[in-house]
Amino acid sequence: MKALIYTGHPAWKESLNPIIKSRWEQHINEIPEIESFRLYSIYHQSQKDIESQLKDEEILIGFNIDNYLDESFDHDAAKKHNVTLTNTVYGAQTIAQFTMALLLDICHDIRGNSDFIKKAPDNVLSSGTFFNPIDRQIELYGKTLGIIGLGHVGLWVARMAQGFGMKVIASSHHIKTGPEYASIEQVSTEEIYARADVISLNCSANPSTVNIINKESIGKMKDGVIIINPSRGSLIDEEALCE
């Protein structure tokens, strides 16, 4: 089999990094069914570019390919021509870690406090007042985290939050079963709005989740609730949030 591969590149490079290329070669060579492949960067590619580059390959492996096509994949056409479409679940731990990083930044503003100390005049430092943080500190221990969307990412957010001593409640399309969910109280989204001190949005963007955070749902939340959105912007009515 021949494969055409589109990959991303590090943020600090505009072209394919030799390290990325060598890693692709290493891992593709571990798949005996793939006899050869061509590798391109997905960035700055148009749909016309992709169509012209795809020749006699039987496999197309892509990083964010759907973002570079004028239309989404035509599943009916794919089925008609026996083309298999699939995606890869990845990065759950990474996204969950970033979720907690956002939360900790809100709770402690470490950089802001660090910058204050670095720039403070000597009389402030000698007086001992630098022990006082420049803004309110929020302890996570004992707080309730509400997760909307208990998929791979949501589960890892729950695990990390429990490590901070938080109580975790979560809602999903259906009740999740298995030992990994035993310590998570599964409730309705309405109950999350009412009980959570922190709400993490970990659901996909689709017609049923557009603006799930809106004027009405915000009105059901606690004063001072923290909302973290590591998912899609369309989940939040931003005007209502600002208000």
Side-chain angles (χ1 to χ4, degrees):
M1 284 184 166
K2 297 180 181 179
L4 180 65
I5 300 173
Y6 286 104
T7 183
H9 58 69
W12 65 91
K13 294 279 187 181
E14 282 300 322
S15 59
L16 278 177
N17 187 305
I19 296 176
I20 290 181
K21 186 175 181 180
S22 66
R23 286 181 179 172
W24 272 109
E25 291 173 346
Q26 173 190 344
H27 293 298
I28 290 297
N29 287 335
E30 294 173 358
I31 305 174
E33 291 82 1
I34 298 180
E35 60 190 49
S36 65
F37 71 94
R38 291 184 294 127
L39 180 66
Y40 293 92
S41 169
I42 190 62
Y43 293 97
H44 311 300
Q45 301 278 3
S46 66
Q47 178 165 332
K48 188 175 181 180
D49 293 331
I50 294 174
E51 290 173 353
S52 66
Q53 290 160 357
L54 186 60
K55 302 185 185 305
D56 59 345
E57 282 81 10
E58 297 142 296
I59 304 170
L60 175 61
I61 302 173
F63 174 86
N64 279 355
I65 285 183
D66 55 327
N67 291 341
Y68 290 84
L69 298 180
D70 295 334
E71 298 180 0
S72 300
F73 289 113
D74 188 333
H75 289 263
D76 291 334
K79 185 176 181 181
K80 178 181 178 181
H81 294 281
N82 293 320
V83 174
T84 300
L85 295 177
T86 185
N87 69 325
T88 303
V89 177
Y90 71 100
Q93 300 93 328
T94 306
I95 299 169
Q97 179 176 308
F98 185 68
T99 301
M100 297 307 296
L102 292 172
L103 179 56
L104 289 170
D105 186 51
I106 291 172
C107 292
H108 298 297
D109 188 14
I110 293 173
R111 175 169 293 182
N113 282 280
S114 176
D115 289 344
F116 169 73
I117 295 299
K118 291 174 182 177
K119 298 174 183 178
D122 291 340
N123 64 322
V124 171
L125 297 178
S126 61
S127 68
T129 57
F130 67 90
F131 285 113
N132 300 322
I134 61 174
D135 46 24
R136 182 176 64 143
Q137 300 289 289
I138 302 171
E139 186 175 14
L140 294 177
Y141 180 83
K143 297 286 195 303
T144 297
L145 170 68
I147 297 173
I148 299 178
L150 193 55
H152 293 283
V153 178
L155 179 59
W156 273 100
V157 171
R159 288 169 171 165
M160 293 181 187
Q162 288 168 339
F164 283 90
M166 300 186 78
K167 176 178 177 56
V168 178
I169 59 178
S171 68
S172 199
H173 288 302
H174 58 275
I175 297 295
K176 300 296 181 71
T177 59
E180 65 269 37
Y181 302 101
S183 61
I184 302 171
E185 182 184 355
Q186 298 186 58
V187 299
S188 67
T189 304
E190 294 292 310
E191 193 165 344
I192 287 179
Y193 295 151
R195 292 174 54 189
D197 301 297
V198 179
I199 295 176
S200 179
L201 304 178
N202 299 107
C203 49
S204 61
N206 57 62
S208 68
T209 61
V210 171
N211 289 344
I212 58 171
I213 302 300
N214 52 51
K215 186 174 182 179
E216 181 181 356
S217 60
I218 291 172
K220 299 174 182 177
M221 299 175 191
K222 294 181 177 182
D223 289 342
V225 66
I226 298 172
I227 300 174
I228 306 290
N229 182 18
S231 297
R232 302 298 182 186
S234 62
L235 302 180
I236 297 180
D237 180 340
E238 293 184 355
E239 290 187 5
L241 182 68
C242 289
E243 182 182 345

